Amino acid sequence: DGKTTKNDANIVLKASGSFLEPCNCCKGDGPEQVAIFMADVGEFAAAVWVTWVQRKSDHPAIVKWSAEGLAETTSNGASEAPTQGYAAAPLPFTWASCTLCGGIYHGFFYRVRLENVPYGVPVSYSVGDDGPSATFTLRSPASSSSRVVVVGDGGTRGGDTTYSKLGSLVGHYDALVSLGDFSYSNGFAQVYDDFFRLMQKHGVTTSVPSIVTPGNHENVYAFAAYLDRFLMVPSSLEYQRLGRSFYHQRNGNVHWISLNFENASGFPDWYVPPEHYSPLSEQEFAWLEDTLVGIRENKKAGEWIAVIAHRPLYCTVATCGFLAQVFGKEDCANYRTTACNQTATALRNSKNAAGKTMEELFLEYRVDLVFGAHVHAYERSFPTFQGNIEQAHGDVAEIRPFGDTDPELVVKSAPLFLDPKYPTYI
């Protein structure tokens, strides 16, 4: 779902209205676009961010919440205006907000951090207190094992079926991992508004925390709208220094490492020769290796290491979408697939200051899974290093990722790998 269509540009422009009209975030004055993000995990409890949008900045930034069997707690936060002004905007005036709209985005982002959220019990919460939102239920944060759903390039217009399905499965997974190109907003504030309303309608972002990494459609005005709307991990100096899109976060028994391949200046898309690729800066590569070292030194038995980024590091197929109507279906598919493979090869062979490739770092520090998106096609590798695959250790008869709730998702058989040496790429 969420595939690019020929009419996407028209949809975006229609959603955004005239460039001279203001961007009204909200249907009324009450809270909307409620979302949950993990802030921190401890031995006995977790910290969680609750975010939402309101038209004015003077509403109380509070969340009233209670875990099952415990007294109600009130947590306080703050409201913030959208990121302001970029004089270098490619138009004859400066946007008051770093989103494409009618000069000013009429809305404020509210953020409240809930501390000491217990594991193992659901949490009921409501936001604001002047005409508060409905009461939501947060699935208990994962403490040991965890189940996640991974989505890439979900979109807004085409994503309703996907998010409706995810809403029906709430209660069976602990986090939503999104690999970028969430809404295809391309900087248009109203499309992001529609996206978060859609997610709230299906009870996805209000029920489980999101773990996110930006895509190329978030790379508008230095990721301003992405940074306004997605709140990940504590605001450490290192996190701020790397643009708030490189981070390490543990959720349950998985260490998630987010990499931003869209961050490098001039990083190419499909049409630039591979020799020009430089996805991570020297500083970012150093952060990646330091993070992997830290995880390995403190990693407990049964914990996984997963890397998320928008662009895949292995790719043998890509779809064309509306470009097939321009170039012809077969020629377009061949071109996109070739370019996709060149991009993936260049990414995994990129080197740090010591001459180690990214793929070698993943092998050395025993990364288990690497997730990518971008190409609107699905493929999964065997455990792989430099194109060589690890042999399976046996077979498993059946996998039921969501128990018996959805027979369509049952995998009848699959190869079994016991602590493989190589990462698996999805």
Side-chain angles (χ1 to χ4, degrees), residues 36-42 46-50 112-115 209-210 231-235 248-251:
I36 298 289
F37 300 95
M38 287 300 297
D40 205 356
V41 293
V48 175
W49 287 109
V50 181
V112 177
R113 182 176 167 120
L114 312 187
E115 301 284 358
S210 294
L231 197 61
M232 301 304 301
V233 305
S235 297
H248 160 231
Q249 181 183 87
R250 183 170 70 83
N251 184 276

Side-chain angles (χ1 to χ4, degrees), residues 71-365:
E72 182 178 87
T73 299
T74 299
S75 298
N76 296 283
S79 64
E80 295 183 19
T83 306
Q84 295 297 308
Y86 272 80
L91 287 166
F93 53 88
T94 301
W95 298 107
S97 168
C98 295
T99 49
L100 289 170
C101 63
I104 298 175
Y105 179 70
H106 287 206
F108 291 84
F109 302 108
Y110 284 71
R111 304 179 177 108
V112 177
R113 182 176 167 120
L114 312 187
E115 301 284 358
N116 298 315
V117 179
Y119 299 124
V121 293
V123 173
S124 297
Y125 70 97
S126 62
V127 305
D129 73 348
D130 51 346
S133 64
T135 298
F136 305 104
T137 300
L138 165 65
R139 177 174 166 82
S140 171
S143 58
S144 52
S145 63
S146 60
R147 289 187 291 186
V148 301
V149 169
V150 183
V151 176
D153 301 73
T156 301
R157 292 286 172 164
D160 190 70
T161 303
T162 296
Y163 298 126
S164 174
K165 186 69 171 179
L166 294 184
S168 71
L169 292 170
V170 163
H172 297 281
Y173 58 97
D174 302 298
L176 173 67
V177 179
S178 293
L179 304 176
D181 289 2
F182 316 103
S183 65
Y184 288 86
S185 70
N186 296 305
F188 286 88
Q190 295 93 327
V191 181
Y192 259 133
D193 292 335
D194 288 343
F195 170 76
F196 277 101
R197 289 191 196 105
L198 176 67
M199 297 292 273
Q200 179 177 331
K201 179 182 78 170
H202 293 303
V204 179
T205 54
T206 58
S207 302
V208 296
S210 294
I211 299 169
V212 302
T213 193
N216 54 296
H217 287 277
E218 279 73 57
N219 191 0
V220 179
Y221 297 132
F223 302 94
Y226 166 79
L227 296 175
D228 278 341
R229 292 174 183 268
F230 294 91
L231 197 61
M232 301 304 301
V233 305
S235 297
S236 66
L237 290 176
E238 187 72 3
Y239 174 56
Q240 295 286 355
R241 198 155 53 97
L242 292 175
R244 294 169 53 198
S245 52
F246 290 80
Y247 64 87
H248 160 231
Q249 181 183 87
R250 183 170 70 83
N251 184 276
N253 63 335
V254 183
H255 293 268
W256 296 95
I257 299 174
S258 169
L259 302 179
N260 183 359
F261 289 155
E262 317 306 316
N263 211 34
S265 176
F267 182 71
D269 205 302
W270 304 106
Y271 42 81
V272 176
E275 60 267 21
H276 292 276
Y277 286 49
S278 179
L280 299 185
S281 69
E282 184 175 330
Q283 182 186 37
E284 290 159 353
F285 253 123
W287 172 86
L288 172 59
E289 185 161 20
D290 288 346
T291 299
L292 288 168
V293 168
I295 293 173
R296 291 302 307 179
E297 288 177 348
N298 298 285
K299 184 173 176 286
K300 298 176 182 177
E303 291 185 345
W304 295 60
I305 302 175
V307 172
I308 57 174
H310 181 59
R311 296 173 193 257
L313 269 71
Y314 275 92
C315 178
T316 63
V317 63
T319 59
C320 282
F322 75 87
L323 292 176
Q325 302 174 35
V326 179
F327 298 108
K329 186 174 182 180
E330 185 174 348
D331 289 343
C332 179
N334 290 337
Y335 169 71
R336 293 269 290 192
T337 299
T338 300
C340 163
N341 183 47
Q342 289 177 338
T343 304
T345 302
L347 282 169
R348 65 178 184 268
N349 289 336
S350 57
K351 297 179 179 180
N352 66 7
K356 293 180 184 177
T357 67
M358 189 177 299
E359 192 172 18
E360 288 170 340
L361 287 178
F362 291 167
L363 176 71
E364 180 177 353
Y365 296 104

